[in-house]
Amino acid sequence: MLQTASETVNRTLSRVFPERRLILRSETNTRYFRASPLMQASLLTLALGFVGWTGYASLTLAETSLRAAAATGKMEAAEAAYEARIALLEGRTFRMAEALSEARSDEHLALERLHGQHDTLTNAMSSEREIAARLQSQQSRLMSLSSEHDSAMRVCEATERRVAGLERQLAGKTAEVARLSDTLAALNDTVVDVASARDDAAETTQSLVLRVDELSSEISERAERQNRIFAQLEDAAALSLGSLESVFEKSGVPLEPILDAVRREAGGSGGPFIPADQVEALSPDAESAPRLAALMADLERVNLLRIAAERMPFARPVGAARFTSGFGYRKDPFNGRSALHTGIDFAARRGSSIVATAEGRVAYAGWRRGYGKVVEIEHAFGYETVYAHLSEIRVKVGQRVSRGDRIGDMGSTGRSTGTHLHYEVRVDGKPVNPLKYIEAARDVL
């Protein structure tokens, strides 16, 4: 299931990410790495994710820096405001102290004046009430100043606590900035590594492009070579087919039944010899497969025709010899009467080699009335050949012979007027003209 899904994804992605192959060569070996469409898409996704993460980290770092700078500015403004407030309170406290000192001096003077003017106390009652009121006023003012001083002290303590908190926050921010700086340095190193890898990948891509061009040229040359080989084989097959079929056509032999019989006997095996270098060049593809199938069918037919021709009497039974008598009715050489001559005669010197005209099995080898020393060979498809008037017989009954094998020597035994070979071809036991088979195969076999 997973493999099927992977193949489906690969086929879908191959439109955008065609399959790539990386070839790494060294002095000792060559390695091939295959980059499937799914792998290329995964690598691109990882690269885009890495770039996005880098951008997000950079933006986060910038935002953190801006926030730290804003917090530092606010803290400095707050410190300035607190310092101004403290200075104001100190001024006010100083003025209240001066007023208190002045009030104490006035009080001292009043006491001295009271002692000095004890006698005039009655007259000074109004002055005493005024002084008492003034004293009360000064005391109230002193209490107010004391309250403000306490408030100022509380504000100072709160300010000090706030400053301490801000200092702790600043220390934390400083540590965080240090960590972010380290992270940024590491990211910079990674970016440098990625840039280096990108440059290496660009060089590798360039080399792959050059290799693809070389392979395209090689494929074109191979296609041309394959077409030439196809053309040569097709011409050879057509020439062989035409020649062999013409042999059967001229001899009047029904071809298709013969081929069917050979095909049944061969069991569908066999075929022409094709060298290994041609096999590599003939590797079928979507375009050449029909052409190759047609060529193989023609070559199979040529092979069947050759097998059939080897089993049929298309050859001459003797080499250099004169044709002395044909097939059919003639005047008998002994009594002069008209008689059927069931074969053809060849004349040559005594002892000339007589050969089998097709492969087969020796059915008879011995003396027969009228024929003298005779050899009869059974062939395929109901054919039989007869070689008569021999001086010597060189085969035995049951022996397998091939076309061209010597079966005897030319002589003049039996009913004969001189040294010659009487040669017959029979089909299903009936004699036929052997000359049409010999003439049909002339210059072909």
Side-chain angles (χ1 to χ4, degrees):
M1 180 70 75
L2 292 177
Q3 184 176 2
T4 302
S6 177
E7 291 176 353
T8 302
V9 173
N10 276 324
R11 285 196 298 271
T12 303
L13 294 177
S14 62
R15 302 174 182 173
V16 182
F17 303 100
E19 180 176 321
R20 304 288 185 184
R21 290 186 178 179
L22 177 62
I23 304 175
L24 299 179
R25 289 184 175 175
S26 63
E27 294 180 358
T28 59
N29 59 5
T30 301
R31 294 183 178 180
Y32 298 86
F33 296 94
R34 173 176 169 270
S36 64
L38 181 58
M39 182 184 296
Q40 296 179 46
S42 301
L43 290 176
L44 179 60
T45 303
L46 291 175
L48 292 176
F50 176 77
V51 171
W53 180 81
T54 302
Y56 174 76
S58 299
L59 291 175
T60 304
L61 179 59
E63 182 180 1
T64 303
S65 299
L66 292 175
R67 288 181 179 178
T72 302
K74 289 181 180 180
M75 183 181 67
E76 290 177 352
E79 288 178 352
Y82 287 140
E83 289 177 355
R85 181 64 176 172
I86 290 171
L88 179 61
L89 291 176
E90 287 178 350
R92 293 178 65 181
T93 302
F94 180 75
R95 288 193 298 272
M96 284 190 295
E98 288 181 344
L100 181 59
S101 179
E102 183 181 358
R104 288 177 178 175
S105 298
D106 292 341
E107 182 179 2
H108 181 70
L109 291 174
L111 288 173
E112 288 181 352
R113 186 181 296 173
L114 180 61
H115 288 296
Q117 296 179 356
H118 183 271
D119 293 337
T120 58
L121 181 58
T122 304
N123 297 328
M125 289 297 294
S126 58
S127 298
E128 185 179 0
R129 286 194 296 273
E130 182 179 354
I131 291 172
R134 187 176 178 183
L135 179 60
Q136 186 177 2
S137 176
Q138 291 295 332
Q139 288 178 348
S140 299
R141 184 179 179 187
L142 180 60
M143 292 179 63
S144 177
L145 289 173
S146 178
S147 177
E148 290 182 1
H149 179 269
D150 294 338
S151 299
M153 291 300 294
R154 287 193 297 272
V155 171
C156 288
E157 291 176 357
T159 301
E160 290 177 355
R161 290 193 298 271
R162 178 61 177 172
V163 169
L166 291 174
E167 288 178 349
R168 288 192 298 272
Q169 292 180 4
L170 181 59
K173 294 296 182 182
T174 302
E176 184 176 358
V177 168
R179 289 193 301 273
L180 292 176
S181 298
D182 294 339
T183 302
L184 182 60
L187 290 176
N188 288 332
D189 294 339
T190 303
V191 169
V192 171
D193 294 339
V194 170
S196 177
R198 180 198 60 196
D199 296 337
D200 294 340
E203 294 178 0
T204 302
T205 301
Q206 184 65 26
S207 64
L208 289 176
V209 169
L210 295 176
R211 180 58 180 163
V212 167
D213 294 339
E214 294 176 358
L215 291 176
S216 298
S217 177
E218 182 179 344
I219 289 172
S220 299
E221 294 176 358
R222 182 175 178 180
E224 293 177 1
R225 180 186 176 195
Q226 177 173 300
N227 288 331
R228 289 196 299 271
I229 293 173
F230 266 128
Q232 293 172 0
L233 291 176
E234 287 169 347
D235 292 342
L239 181 61
S240 298
L241 276 176
S243 300
L244 292 172
E245 288 178 348
S246 68
V247 170
F248 286 89
E249 182 179 356
K250 291 177 182 178
S251 65
V253 176
L255 179 58
E256 295 305 324
I258 297 294
L259 293 183
D260 290 340
V262 173
R263 192 176 289 109
R264 286 192 300 270
E265 292 177 7
S269 62
F273 170 74
I274 301 178
D277 56 348
Q278 295 183 10
V279 173
E280 181 180 358
L282 291 175
S283 298
D285 51 31
E287 296 180 358
S288 61
R291 187 179 182 184
L292 179 60
L295 175 61
M296 296 306 294
D298 289 344
L299 292 176
E300 181 186 7
R301 185 174 178 86
V302 169
N303 188 52
L304 294 175
L305 286 169
R306 288 189 181 278
I307 294 173
E310 286 290 331
R311 298 179 180 181
M312 295 184 65
F314 286 122
R316 286 173 61 91
V318 62
R322 292 179 295 109
F323 179 73
T324 58
S325 181
F327 176 86
Y329 288 96
R330 68 172 183 175
K331 232 181 233 191
D332 185 82
F334 288 95
N335 56 30
R337 297 169 57 185
S338 177
L340 176 63
H341 188 224
T342 57
I344 58 177
D345 293 340
F346 296 93
R349 65 180 179 83
R350 181 180 178 83
S352 297
S353 295
I354 308 300
V355 299
T357 57
E359 66 177 38
R361 185 185 67 86
V362 177
Y364 182 83
W367 185 274
R368 180 169 289 173
R369 182 179 179 183
Y371 287 91
K373 291 182 179 181
V374 63
V375 173
E376 297 180 359
I377 301 176
E378 292 180 350
H379 307 284
F381 320 122
Y383 282 82
E384 182 181 5
T385 55
V386 179
Y387 311 82
H389 309 309
L390 304 179
S391 62
E392 292 290 339
I393 296 175
R394 299 182 179 273
V395 292
K396 297 179 181 180
V397 175
Q399 180 179 339
R400 299 292 303 182
V401 295
S402 299
R403 173 183 292 167
D405 287 350
R406 187 172 184 175
I407 62 174
D409 301 338
M410 184 178 290
S412 184
T413 58
R415 193 170 183 269
S416 172
T417 61
T419 301
H420 76 286
L421 169 68
H422 175 79
Y423 173 62
E424 294 183 9
V425 174
R426 299 172 181 173
V427 180
D428 296 329
K430 296 180 180 180
V432 296
N433 188 358
L435 193 59
K436 68 177 182 178
Y437 296 95
I438 295 174
E439 292 293 333
R442 180 179 295 177
D443 301 325
V444 176
L445 298 177

